[in-house]
Amino acid sequence: GRLDVRVPTRGRGELARLSASFNAMAEAVQRSEERQRRLVADVAHEMRTPLSNLRGYLEGLSDGVVEPSRELFASLHEETLLQRRILDDLQVLALAEAGDLGYTRAPLDLSDLAATTATAHRAVAAEAGVTLTADAPAPVWVDGDSDRLRQVLGNLLSNAIRYTDRGGQILVRAYVADGEAVLSVRDTGVGIDPGDLRRVFDRFWRADPARQRATGGTGLGLTIAHRIVTDHGGTIEVESQPHLGTTFSVRLPALQA
Ligand code: ADP
């Protein structure tokens, strides 16, 4: 049970106003405690899976039930890397939520960002049998933190690769529309159910935990991307058709040349 610390606010005048603002404060504190409680519960849940996989392997090895092999050690290694990524992502998210991410903003060309980030991901895309193309012919200037916006685009590209089957295509674009700078990533992948679209930015939400785990996601990439874009005064949107593909669009205030 939760303690209700609110005070009665009947009547008018100074005392009623004080009571009302005290209640608003008490509710804000309770909401923030509730958020923290949920975060801890979510994190514990997320860390439990890779940890119990690790424990299972290690127990099997020491009981002699599991034969040591190169694949087994590679898989153990992969589990530790996943835990590391979850913790790294959580740290970024916690810093961002506390307003301590310390953005270093400067004029930045999104077309340049699109081209270089696409190049960086092309090898991974090729390995997944996916073609990755950048269409960013003209400079698109914004005032932004280049490392953090690169992280946003990197997350969108990793997802596009992760959720697109072999033979698929990914297109990264940077352009100006209605006075806004736009960065978009379109894929011909598995798509997202209409009912799930609102949830993709939620912490640890994923449509298909098995696919997501197999491809090394943390369930935090879009939560972090959303946070960084919002902190830049921008928006991030998603459109999708199941089995046809998905487009994520980041809109930022354009910087006048
Ligand atoms: P992760 O990819 O690590 O699971 P994200 O926060 O980046 O975490 O994405 C959350 C979920 O949104 C994914 O698990 C997936 O179900 C869905 N998703 C994200 N990007 C795409 C995409 N391009 N195509 C289809 N589904 C996607």
Side-chain angles (χ1 to χ4, degrees):
R2 172 200 287 172
L3 185 68
D4 191 352
V5 296
R6 283 172 300 178
V7 297
T9 57
R10 240 172 302 149
R12 273 185 280 169
E14 192 72 0
L15 197 57
R17 274 201 301 278
L18 264 176
S19 307
S21 61
F22 174 82
N23 287 346
M25 232 157 55
E27 276 162 21
V29 168
Q30 282 185 334
R31 268 199 306 277
S32 120
E33 281 172 358
E34 175 65 22
R35 265 205 306 275
Q36 234 162 343
R37 223 176 42 73
R38 264 207 307 270
L39 174 63
V40 171
D42 284 354
V43 171
H45 176 81
E46 290 303 315
M47 302 299 289
R48 201 167 286 131
T49 310
L51 274 175
S52 52
N53 287 347
L54 262 182
R55 200 194 56 201
Y57 284 132
L58 291 174
E59 283 175 0
L61 276 171
S62 70
D63 294 350
V65 180
V66 173
E67 286 294 312
S69 71
R70 192 176 277 279
E71 292 81 62
L72 178 63
F73 289 118
S75 154
L76 292 179
H77 188 219
E78 199 44 56
E79 291 294 336
T80 65
L81 291 179
L82 175 58
Q83 289 173 64
R84 178 57 198 254
R85 275 199 304 277
I86 293 175
L87 288 177
D88 287 346
D89 279 358
L90 272 171
Q91 190 171 27
V92 171
L93 203 58
L95 287 175
E97 279 179 6
D100 283 341
L101 207 47
Y103 295 104
T104 312
R105 293 171 68 157
L108 170 70
D109 176 9
L110 290 186
S111 285
D112 184 49
L113 187 86
T116 53
T117 313
T119 301
H121 282 74
R122 204 157 276 127
V124 179
E127 214 177 305
V130 174
T131 316
L132 173 52
T133 315
D135 174 21
V140 176
W141 291 99
V142 298
D143 180 44
D145 184 314
S146 66
D147 287 344
R148 291 304 173 194
L149 290 178
R150 190 178 300 280
Q151 182 178 10
V152 169
L153 184 56
N155 279 338
L156 297 179
L157 285 177
S158 300
N159 280 345
I161 296 168
R162 192 175 287 147
Y163 302 106
T164 299
D165 292 320
R166 300 193 81 82
Q169 281 165 26
I170 299 169
L171 178 64
V172 191
R173 298 177 63 207
Y175 56 95
V176 177
D178 300 327
E180 281 184 310
V182 186
L183 196 55
S184 74
V185 176
R186 186 170 87 205
D187 66 55
T188 60
V190 298
I192 301 166
D193 282 339
D196 289 338
L197 280 179
R198 282 186 313 113
R199 304 163 70 190
V200 296
F201 299 107
D202 290 352
R203 177 174 75 213
F204 295 131
W205 183 87
R206 64 270 276 182
D208 179 356
R211 179 174 187 130
Q212 189 255 7
R213 268 192 75 69
T215 48
T218 64
L220 292 169
L222 287 177
T223 315
I224 291 173
H226 183 269
R227 185 74 211 197
I228 292 172
V229 170
T230 309
D231 286 347
H232 276 77
T235 59
I236 179 166
E237 280 165 22
V238 55
E239 293 171 325
S240 186
Q241 282 190 288
H243 313 299
L244 289 180
T246 303
T247 304
F248 280 91
S249 306
V250 172
R251 288 191 172 72
L252 296 168
L255 204 61
Q256 298 314 317

